[in-house]
């Protein structure tokens, strides 16, 4: 990575920290905080939120009928999602110890916290649980995939790809044969020594 690319990467990290601070301020303004991984609302906030709950019957009555009809199709994805979850978890359990790669913590990506919000009816809460699981699972699988890619093929593509994973920016440039041969083991060792501890609450 060039000096300029390192500077840009450092700026991205700085901006992410700044965004995290803004998010924390917004949380405080909404009357909640994270404590030991659990959401804690200020006194009376949950009761205030219940005032905004839309009953299930009214919610369904106000939903366009095509939205209701495609619901089973959306939820049918649970089968491949569960298979992906089981398979990718088994994959890293078997392969990562062989490569000496730290395993990805599933709990860092899949969270079931939105279903407890008092302003959601049971359908909305179920939808939130489902979406949280699906998108968290994709993030979990992506991290497992990105660690695998860093180990086996840490080379950038010649073509521009949309929204690459964060490890991608550290990969070797396309066509850098000397760099690949000389730095492949360095990138593997860096991966092996990554901090595998749980993410801190932001």
């Amino acid at each position: 990575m060039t000096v300029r690319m390192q500077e840009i990467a450092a700026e991205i990290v700085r901006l992410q920290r700044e965004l995290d601070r803004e998010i924390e301020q917004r949380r405080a303004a909404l009357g909640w905080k994270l404590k030991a991984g659990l959401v804690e609302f200020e006194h009376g906030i949950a009761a205030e939120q219940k005032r905004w709950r839309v009953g299930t019957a009214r919610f369904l009555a106000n939903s366009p009928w095509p939205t209701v009809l495609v619901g089973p199709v959306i939820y049918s994805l649970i089968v491949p999602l569960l298979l992906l979850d089981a398979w990718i978890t088994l994959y890293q359990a078997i392969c990562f110890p062989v490569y000496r790669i730290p395993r990805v913590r599933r709990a860092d990506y899949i969270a079931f916290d939105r279903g407890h919000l008092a302003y959601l009816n049971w359908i909305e809460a179920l939808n939130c649980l489902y979406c949280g699981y699906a998108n968290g699972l994709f993030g979990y699988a992506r991290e497992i995939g990105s660690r695998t890619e860093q180990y086996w093929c840490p080379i950038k593509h010649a073509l521009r790809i949309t929204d690459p994973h964060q490890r991608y920016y550290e990969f070797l440039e396309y066509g850098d044969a000397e760099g690949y041969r000389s730095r492949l083991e360095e990138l593997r060792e860096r991966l092996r020594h990554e901090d595998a501890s749980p993410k801190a609450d932001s």
Side-chain angles (χ1 to χ4, degrees), residues 104-119:
V104 179
R105 285 185 76 250
R106 192 171 168 280
D108 286 343
Y109 294 87
I110 300 174
F112 297 108
D113 53 354
R114 295 186 294 203
H116 301 294
L117 290 166
Y119 54 86

Side-chain angles (χ1 to χ4, degrees), residues 18 41 78 116 124 126 170 181 185 193-194:
E18 189 174 327
F41 284 103
I78 194 65
H116 301 294
E124 292 171 315
L126 180 63
E170 296 288 333
R181 291 299 171 204
E185 195 54 39
H193 294 96
E194 277 188 11

Side-chain angles (χ1 to χ4, degrees), residues 19-134:
L19 177 60
D20 290 342
R21 283 193 296 273
E22 290 295 320
I23 290 171
E24 189 60 39
Q25 289 175 7
R26 181 64 178 149
R27 288 176 176 176
L30 290 171
W32 69 274
K33 62 184 176 182
L34 282 177
K35 190 173 182 180
L38 299 173
V39 176
E40 188 176 88
F41 284 103
E42 291 177 7
H43 180 69
I45 294 290
E48 175 66 21
Q49 287 181 353
K50 280 185 181 179
R51 292 179 55 243
W52 293 94
R53 183 187 295 167
V54 175
T56 304
R58 185 172 149 210
F59 176 79
L60 289 172
N62 291 336
S63 298
W65 66 265
T67 303
V68 177
L69 286 179
V70 300
V73 178
I74 294 171
Y75 275 92
S76 71
L77 277 174
I78 194 65
V79 175
L81 289 173
L82 290 171
L83 286 172
L84 173 64
D85 195 351
W87 203 265
I88 200 91
T89 299
L90 183 64
Y91 159 75
Q92 75 160 344
I94 294 170
C95 299
F96 277 18
V98 175
Y99 308 148
R100 293 184 289 125
I101 298 173
R103 286 177 58 180
V104 179
R105 285 185 76 250
R106 192 171 168 280
D108 286 343
Y109 294 87
I110 300 174
F112 297 108
D113 53 354
R114 295 186 294 203
H116 301 294
L117 290 166
Y119 54 86
L120 302 177
N121 61 46
W122 74 265
I123 295 176
E124 292 171 315
L126 180 63
N127 289 342
C128 280
L129 289 172
Y130 182 74
C131 289
Y133 173 67

